């Protein structure tokens, strides 16, 4: 809900800026108009546009300093992009065929591409990563076009950034007249540069994500436990003997916790299975037993503790007998301090024969089906003993795979970097695939048109243009069908 409020607040900021922009323009307020002219800012309804020529000299310098390198670089981009073109077209055709044959997105093996929408199929609280990733991917894409254009002596007028509500989109302004008179292969270097740079960006982000654990190894431990990031204010784990932020948890009952997946699995095991028994010595039971006559409660549990004992943290434990022929060595129920039992238990058990040596006995808490005893082991401090619904632990405690080695570090930094790398990998690769599809307003439209202008058996230029237009229309139709279908299904 906080993220939705932020989104609404951003919309109100856009409306306020548009109102004052209209007001000052209608009044011909000279300082305001002078400010807009010098900064290159243009304010529209729910949109802010920024245009600059400050990068032109840098782009020209980069393009001319290492001309041979950039020639090989953009030649490689042309080859990779042309190889990607039939792959992207096949993906769109396959998706359309799946829709035609009645296969839906419920089958994970069917749907290949899907628009990413905050609040629909992306968490709304990650909208910052969404906007930052789109900005980075679009800037890298357009910078590729501008750099390639400068390399081919095509004039670059400037670059800009358009922010529509919270979605940023970069653009490069180059001379279309100079681009049109270039040889076809030179045009392809410019047209394919954006897709090529998105592919490189996705590859770098994926490589960084794979090497993340190794890169952070001097500062963080991964795979040997989880670190507590946050605990909600209503969590039953709070308290003097409860969990604390930055605690490192490595075990829940007899379930080892190495990462967040294990954390979820161990809590799920605690929910589904009854509370484990504890192997304790007969001496401890006889010394600390404060039981009263037992009675069965309405929830099915057995109570054998008085009010004072329960207030002191005692529970009624049931003695799990050995084989049928074995003599009964202890009373059926004993009221024992829960923390004392869990801290002195030699191991967990479900039956008495699980306890070795024979001087120990299996004592299991007598609780209802929902309430469980959960023993959380942490690297520093006493074990946390939770008595209640284990689902409350999962709902109120947020953990991270990244365990800091030093007290001044936290888990948010490597997590944020890993999440950003995931976003960049998916978005940049997705933009590369979609942009190369022969569709109007996409790079694929111009790439296909340029490819048909290469030498071929078709000599008539008009026929080549007609074929390129036909391919683009078909690609636009198929892509539109899939996008409309996905949007309708996601919204409805």
């Amino acid at each position: 809900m906080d993220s939705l409020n932020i989104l609404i607040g951003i919309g109100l900021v856009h409306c306020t800026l548009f109102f004052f922009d209209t007001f000052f323009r209608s009044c011909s307020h000279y300082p305001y108009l002078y400010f807009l002219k010098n900064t290159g800012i243009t304010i529209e309804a729910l949109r802010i546009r920024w245009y600059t020529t400050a990068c032109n000299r840098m782009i020209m310098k980069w393009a001319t300093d290492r001309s041979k390198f950039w020639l090989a670089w953009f030649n490689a981009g042309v080859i990779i992009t042309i190889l990607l073109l039939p792959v992207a077209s096949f993906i769109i055709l396959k998706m359309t065929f799946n829709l035609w044959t009645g296969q839906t997105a419920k089958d994970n093996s069917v749907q290949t591409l899907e628009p990413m929408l905050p609040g629909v199929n992306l968490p709304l609280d990650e909208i910052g990563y969404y906007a930052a990733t789109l900005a980075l991917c679009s800037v890298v894409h357009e910078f590729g076009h501008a750099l390639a254009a400068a390399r081919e002596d095509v004039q670059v007028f400037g670059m800009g950034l358009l922010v529509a509500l919270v979605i940023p989109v970069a653009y490069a302004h180059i001379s279309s007249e100079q681009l049109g008179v270039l040889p076809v292969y030179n045009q392809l270097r410019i047209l394919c540069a954006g897709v090529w740079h998105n592919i490189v960006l996705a590859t770098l982000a994926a490589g960084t994500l794979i090497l993340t654990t190794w890169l952070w190894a001097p500062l963080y431990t991964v795979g040997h436990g989880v670190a507590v990031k946050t605990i909600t204010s209503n969590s039953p784990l709070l308290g003097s003997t409860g969990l604390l932020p930055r605690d490192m948890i490595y075990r829940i009952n007899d379930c080892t916790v190495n990462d967040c997946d294990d954390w979820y699995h161990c809590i799920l095991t605690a929910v589904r299975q009854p509370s484990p028994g504890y192997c304790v010595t007969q001496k401890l039971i006889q010394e600390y037993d404060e039981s009263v006559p037992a009675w069965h409660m309405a929830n099915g549990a057995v109570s054998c503790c008085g009010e004072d004992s329960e207030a002191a943290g005692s529970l009624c434990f049931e003695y799990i007998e050995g084989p049928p022929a074995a003599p009964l060595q202890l009373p059926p129920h004993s009221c024992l301090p829960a923390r004392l039992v869990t801290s002195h238990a030699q191991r967990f058990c479900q039956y008495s024969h699980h306890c070795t040596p024979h001087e120990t006995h299996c004592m299991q808490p007598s609780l209802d089906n929902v309430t469980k005893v959960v023993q959380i082991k942490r690297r520093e401090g006493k074990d946390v003993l939770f008595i209640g619904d284990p689902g409350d632990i999962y709902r109120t405690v947020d953990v991270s795979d990244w365990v800091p080695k030093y007290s001044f570090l936290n888990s948010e930094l490597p997590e944020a970097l890993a999440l950003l790398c995931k976003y960049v990998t998916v978005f940049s690769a997705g933009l590369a695939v979609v942009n190369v599809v022969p569709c109007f307003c996409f790079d694929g439209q111009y790439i296909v048109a340029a490819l048909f202008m290469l030498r071929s058996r078709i000599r008539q230029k008009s026929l080549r243009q007609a074929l390129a237009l036909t391919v683009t229309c078909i690609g636009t139709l198929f892509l539109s069908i899939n996008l409309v279908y996905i949007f309708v299904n996601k919204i409805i």
Side-chain angles (χ1 to χ4, degrees):
M1 195 63 188
D2 292 338
S3 300
L4 183 59
N5 291 334
I6 292 174
L7 198 60
I8 295 173
I10 293 173
L12 293 175
V13 170
H14 274 283
C15 294
T16 303
L17 290 175
F18 182 67
F19 170 78
F20 282 106
D21 177 75
T22 305
F23 175 76
F24 287 131
R25 284 180 179 275
S26 62
C27 298
S28 298
H29 193 262
Y30 179 76
Y32 177 73
L33 298 177
Y34 181 78
F35 168 78
L36 294 181
K37 182 179 179 181
N38 284 335
T39 57
I41 296 176
T42 304
I43 299 176
E44 304 169 2
L46 298 179
R47 294 188 300 177
I48 300 176
R49 190 189 305 271
W50 175 66
Y51 181 80
T52 180
T53 59
C55 300
N56 292 8
R57 182 172 296 180
M58 178 191 68
I59 293 172
M60 288 296 301
K61 186 176 185 301
W62 283 16
T64 54
D65 278 355
R66 297 174 178 85
S67 181
K68 292 183 179 180
F69 167 79
W70 292 120
L71 178 62
W73 175 261
F74 290 118
N75 283 339
V78 171
I79 296 171
I80 298 298
T81 303
I82 292 176
L83 291 176
L84 181 62
L85 177 59
V87 176
S89 302
F90 174 77
I91 292 173
I92 299 300
L93 289 173
K94 184 176 181 294
M95 291 173 60
T96 308
F97 176 77
N98 290 333
L99 294 179
W100 183 265
T101 55
Q103 300 183 45
T104 62
K106 294 180 181 178
D107 183 2
N108 292 332
S109 63
V110 171
Q111 190 157 321
T112 310
L113 295 176
E114 180 178 339
M116 310 301 286
L117 303 173
V120 179
N121 54 2
L122 287 178
L124 197 57
D125 57 357
E126 294 179 3
I127 193 170
Y129 293 97
Y130 182 88
T133 302
L134 277 181
L136 176 62
C137 293
S138 60
V139 166
V140 169
H141 181 98
E142 296 301 327
F143 183 79
H145 286 308
L147 191 60
R151 166 65 183 73
E152 301 298 332
D153 290 330
V154 174
Q155 184 176 1
V156 179
F157 295 109
M159 297 186 68
L161 184 69
L162 171 67
V163 179
L165 193 58
V166 295
I167 300 177
V169 179
Y171 61 94
H173 185 197
I174 64 177
S175 174
S176 57
E177 292 81 5
Q178 295 180 11
L179 175 63
V181 299
L182 287 176
V184 175
Y185 203 85
N186 298 58
Q187 293 183 30
L188 284 173
R189 292 195 193 105
I190 300 174
L191 298 174
C192 297
V195 173
W196 168 235
H197 277 217
N198 278 136
I199 294 172
V200 173
L201 178 63
T203 304
L204 290 175
T208 304
L209 182 61
I210 294 172
L211 298 175
T212 297
T213 303
W214 180 78
L215 292 173
W216 291 106
L219 301 177
Y220 294 88
T221 302
V222 179
H224 299 285
V226 295
V228 177
K229 289 200 305 182
T230 57
I231 307 173
T232 60
S233 58
N234 62 339
S235 174
L237 274 299
L238 290 174
S240 57
T241 58
L243 283 177
L244 298 171
R246 307 177 69 86
D247 275 347
M248 195 281 274
I249 299 170
Y250 62 91
R251 186 179 290 273
I252 296 178
N253 289 339
D254 58 344
C255 182
T256 303
V257 178
N258 292 321
D259 50 36
C260 289
D261 291 336
D262 290 341
W263 165 261
Y264 173 75
H265 170 73
C266 292
I267 293 177
L268 189 62
T269 301
V271 171
R272 291 178 174 177
Q273 296 183 357
S275 295
Y278 301 89
C279 294
V280 294
T281 62
Q282 184 172 343
K283 179 182 178 181
L284 184 145
I285 298 171
Q286 293 173 345
E287 183 176 352
Y288 292 97
D289 184 13
E290 299 178 350
S291 59
V292 298
W295 73 94
H296 290 271
M297 296 187 292
N299 57 14
V302 176
S303 178
C304 62
C305 295
E307 293 183 0
D308 294 339
S309 298
E310 290 181 351
S314 295
L315 287 177
C316 185
F317 287 83
E318 179 182 0
Y319 171 49
I320 307 299
E321 302 178 27
L328 183 64
Q329 303 180 44
L330 294 170
H333 297 91
S334 301
C335 180
L336 301 170
R339 181 170 290 279
L340 184 70
V341 171
T342 56
S343 61
H344 286 76
Q346 296 185 8
R347 60 179 299 178
F348 294 95
C349 61
Q350 293 294 337
Y351 305 99
S352 282
H353 64 82
H354 291 164
C355 296
T356 54
H358 296 292
E359 289 78 13
T360 59
H361 304 276
C362 187
M363 305 295 291
Q364 186 178 38
S366 179
L367 302 167
D368 59 75
N369 293 331
V370 177
T371 305
K372 307 291 174 63
V373 176
V374 181
Q375 185 180 6
I376 303 175
K377 290 185 174 292
R378 49 186 175 177
R379 184 169 58 188
E380 297 178 0
K382 296 181 179 179
D383 295 348
V384 175
L385 194 63
F386 172 75
I387 303 173
D389 182 5
D392 291 338
I393 304 175
Y394 185 76
R395 287 188 290 268
T396 61
V397 179
D398 189 19
V399 298
S400 170
D401 287 331
W402 302 90
V403 180
K405 292 184 177 180
Y406 306 100
S407 59
F408 61 88
L409 297 173
N410 56 50
S411 304
E412 280 77 8
L413 181 60
E415 270 200 343
L417 177 62
L419 183 58
L420 181 62
C421 288
K422 290 180 182 178
Y423 267 91
V424 172
T425 301
V426 174
F427 276 58
S428 191
L431 287 174
V433 172
V434 172
N435 254 303
V436 82
V437 172
C439 177
F440 290 112
C441 301
F442 288 178
D443 290 342
Q445 172 191 358
Y446 307 101
I447 293 172
V448 168
L451 288 175
F452 273 101
M453 291 297 106
L454 290 173
R455 291 182 180 180
S456 67
R457 295 180 180 179
I458 304 174
R459 297 182 178 180
Q460 295 85 352
K461 183 178 179 180
S462 59
L463 182 56
R464 296 181 188 179
Q465 293 174 342
L467 288 173
L469 180 61
T470 303
V471 171
T472 303
C473 289
I474 294 173
T476 304
L477 177 63
F478 286 167
L479 184 61
S480 301
I481 290 173
N482 283 277
L483 289 176
V484 169
Y485 175 82
I486 294 171
F487 272 112
V488 169
N489 279 270
K490 285 297 180 182
I491 294 173
I492 297 178

